[in-house]
Amino acid sequence: MNHKGVDKLHDLHYFGEFGGVNPSISDSSTYTFLSAKTMFDTFEGNTEGCYLYSRHSSPSNLYLGEALAALEGTEAANVFASGMGAIASVVLQICDSGDQIVSSRTIYGGTYALFKNFLPKFDINSVFTDITNLKAVENSIRANTKMIYCEAVSNPLLEVADIAALSELAKKYGIPLVVDNTFSPLSIPAAELGADIVIHSLTKFINGSSDCVAGAVCASTAFCLRLKDVNDGAGMLLGSTLDSLRAASILKNMRTLHIRIKKHSENAMYLASKFEADGLKVVYPGLASHPGNKTMKTQMHKAYGFGGLMTVDVGSLEKANTLMEMMQSENLGYLAVSLGFYKTLFSAPGTSTSSEIPLEEQKAMGLSDGLIRFSVGLDQNIEQTYQKMKGCMQRLGILTSDSILSAS
Ligand SMILES: *Cc1c(COP(=O)(O)O)cnc(C)c1O
């Protein structure tokens, strides 16, 4: 696998109107036309380079869209006001009432709630399967199935989808493979591997500064135009539009994504290996013990590593909560949901980001209550972070002194 994504991203440069090194921000909701005829043509979707109204498109949003398309290697990309805005638009664009989605059962809690609780109002129903079991996925496909939906690396269990194999299956049935690549930008070239539509919550790694929510859909030009169609485009009509000021700030943050992802991955690999050696139950796609390790290796860009997310099972929710509070007071990170920040963020998914998933289903998919999800930060001195985290675990009896002796 090459590094086309970053090369293409860095090849793009737009100058501001006064020669600024960053493009000017389009600070307008509406745009003037020199002729009435051009306005009509733009409504019909026939005019390149003309802006109509910023819910449809704006220069700043288009710049960010181009950068995301370069990153994912797709023809085009549209940006949204949030990751959920992107997901809802894709699903409602493709599915009509009576249709079905075949979805991975381990997905972001909000996506799960959308599929399980909200879409049935429109008679769009979802079957949740183990995405790593291709037979199970194939057996769930019916005549009314309109897409296979999964996350490249899933939230929070870090299951790794075999995108090439799923893409073959999707092609066999003539349906699109939709992949949420929020956990693994740059590491997993989802579109190159065969995903038809790649979704990102830009809120996470791509923006990386935990200061806004935003989303993106990377796909063919035809699909991106459909989403924007003034008559029946879900992106245009559901109104989940990103503000131009935010699009501009996200574009600037994207310039350093490749450096950040490498560091997140390096730090996560370090902590995961150390904690596993200490005898903790660690889930990290970079560990040989991870069931998705082989699949990940065949589809990843090595330079960006196995990503910044790992989970540790500390046995019970009480222990998890006490440990997280202690780590926060030791300034090792924040007890907060979300991911991709410079600081480590930790949360117990069972009672937070995946609480939408009923308890029995959480159990069935292996989401135990002692599970802590770490979005590992950009710590310069990760050895010291490890020592301090280990100290907290020792004090709480999560690590015994025996296991520490045998590991050192
Ligand atoms: C956060 C997240 C989303 C939702 O994105 P928002 O920007 O919060 O709307 C979707 N998928 C995954 C994997 C996420 O982590």
Side-chain angles (χ1 to χ4, degrees), residues 144-267:
N144 62 343
T145 301
K146 285 294 157 71
M147 69 172 74
I148 299 177
Y149 185 96
C150 69
E151 294 173 1
V153 176
S154 79
N155 185 3
L157 294 173
L158 311 179
E159 282 180 353
V160 179
D162 185 340
I163 298 173
L166 288 165
S167 158
E168 229 172 84
L169 199 58
K171 283 198 174 66
K172 180 171 161 191
Y173 290 91
I175 52 178
L177 172 65
V178 181
V179 176
D180 177 339
N181 202 16
T182 300
F183 274 31
S184 40
L186 289 175
S187 306
I188 299 185
E192 201 178 308
L193 290 161
D196 299 285
I197 297 169
V198 182
I199 294 175
H200 281 285
S201 166
L202 304 179
T203 313
K204 315 296 171 50
F205 288 106
I206 291 184
N207 184 50
S209 51
S210 292
D211 55 1
C212 69
V213 285
V217 173
C218 308
S220 66
T221 304
F223 186 70
C224 288
L225 286 177
R226 260 181 81 196
L227 284 171
K228 279 206 265 201
D229 192 293
V230 295
N231 292 305
D232 65 356
M236 179 66 184
L237 300 176
L238 298 177
S240 173
T241 311
L242 184 61
D243 184 74
S244 289
L245 287 171
R246 274 307 177 192
S249 72
I250 295 168
L251 179 63
K252 283 176 277 188
N253 286 350
M254 259 183 94
R255 307 286 184 216
T256 57
L257 178 65
H258 58 301
I259 303 170
R260 290 185 280 113
I261 290 287
K262 280 182 194 174
K263 191 66 178 169
H264 283 299
S265 289
E266 184 189 307
N267 284 353

Side-chain angles (χ1 to χ4, degrees), residues 66-86:
E66 276 183 53
L68 288 158
L71 180 81
E72 275 298 338
T74 52
E75 284 176 358
N78 291 358
V79 297
F80 290 82
S82 70
M84 286 309 299

Side-chain angles (χ1 to χ4, degrees), residues 102-375:
V102 170
S103 170
S104 164
R105 62 181 186 181
T106 67
I107 49 174
Y108 175 66
T111 312
Y112 181 86
L114 175 73
F115 288 6
K116 174 99 177 180
N117 307 330
F118 196 87
L119 293 178
K121 285 208 255 196
F122 306 103
D123 195 23
I124 297 168
N125 295 292
S126 302
V127 188
F128 298 95
T129 68
D130 176 355
I131 203 73
T132 62
N133 179 346
L134 289 171
K135 263 263 119 350
V137 175
E138 182 161 19
N139 289 339
S140 307
I141 298 174
R142 302 272 176 277
N144 62 343
T145 301
K146 285 294 157 71
M147 69 172 74
I148 299 177
Y149 185 96
C150 69
E151 294 173 1
V153 176
S154 79
N155 185 3
L157 294 173
L158 311 179
E159 282 180 353
V160 179
D162 185 340
I163 298 173
L166 288 165
S167 158
E168 229 172 84
L169 199 58
K171 283 198 174 66
K172 180 171 161 191
Y173 290 91
I175 52 178
L177 172 65
V178 181
V179 176
D180 177 339
N181 202 16
T182 300
F183 274 31
S184 40
L186 289 175
S187 306
I188 299 185
E192 201 178 308
L193 290 161
D196 299 285
I197 297 169
V198 182
I199 294 175
H200 281 285
S201 166
L202 304 179
T203 313
K204 315 296 171 50
F205 288 106
I206 291 184
N207 184 50
S209 51
S210 292
D211 55 1
C212 69
V213 285
V217 173
C218 308
S220 66
T221 304
F223 186 70
C224 288
L225 286 177
R226 260 181 81 196
L227 284 171
K228 279 206 265 201
D229 192 293
V230 295
N231 292 305
D232 65 356
M236 179 66 184
L237 300 176
L238 298 177
S240 173
T241 311
L242 184 61
D243 184 74
S244 289
L245 287 171
R246 274 307 177 192
S249 72
I250 295 168
L251 179 63
K252 283 176 277 188
N253 286 350
M254 259 183 94
R255 307 286 184 216
T256 57
L257 178 65
H258 58 301
I259 303 170
R260 290 185 280 113
I261 290 287
K262 280 182 194 174
K263 191 66 178 169
H264 283 299
S265 289
E266 184 189 307
N267 284 353
M269 187 72 194
Y270 182 87
L271 289 183
S273 313
K274 287 287 189 185
F275 285 134
E276 184 174 64
D278 288 340
L280 287 175
K281 266 205 260 169
V282 183
V283 171
Y284 183 64
L287 297 173
S289 59
H290 190 283
N293 180 249
K294 270 214 188 86
T295 311
M296 182 93 186
K297 278 184 172 158
T298 61
Q299 54 185 14
M300 70 192 277
H301 283 316
K302 274 210 177 58
Y304 303 107
F306 295 88
L309 272 296
M310 66 167 195
T311 70
V312 176
D313 190 341
V314 298
S316 72
L317 182 61
E318 292 67 42
K319 278 186 181 166
N321 287 342
T322 319
L323 176 62
M324 291 191 293
E325 287 165 10
M326 192 184 271
M327 289 191 297
Q328 176 161 257
S329 64
E330 300 268 324
N331 196 22
L332 296 168
Y334 297 136
L335 172 45
V337 299
S338 200
L339 41 129
F341 198 36
Y342 82 98
K343 259 320 231 204
T344 296
L345 302 178
F346 31 77
S347 56
T351 51
S352 61
T353 50
S354 295
S355 57
E356 296 90 341
I357 301 171
L359 278 179
E360 319 82 73
E361 285 176 54
Q362 290 193 19
K363 277 226 174 70
M365 63 175 70
L367 211 168
S368 48
D369 14 295
L371 205 69
I372 300 178
R373 185 186 75 182
F374 289 78
S375 166

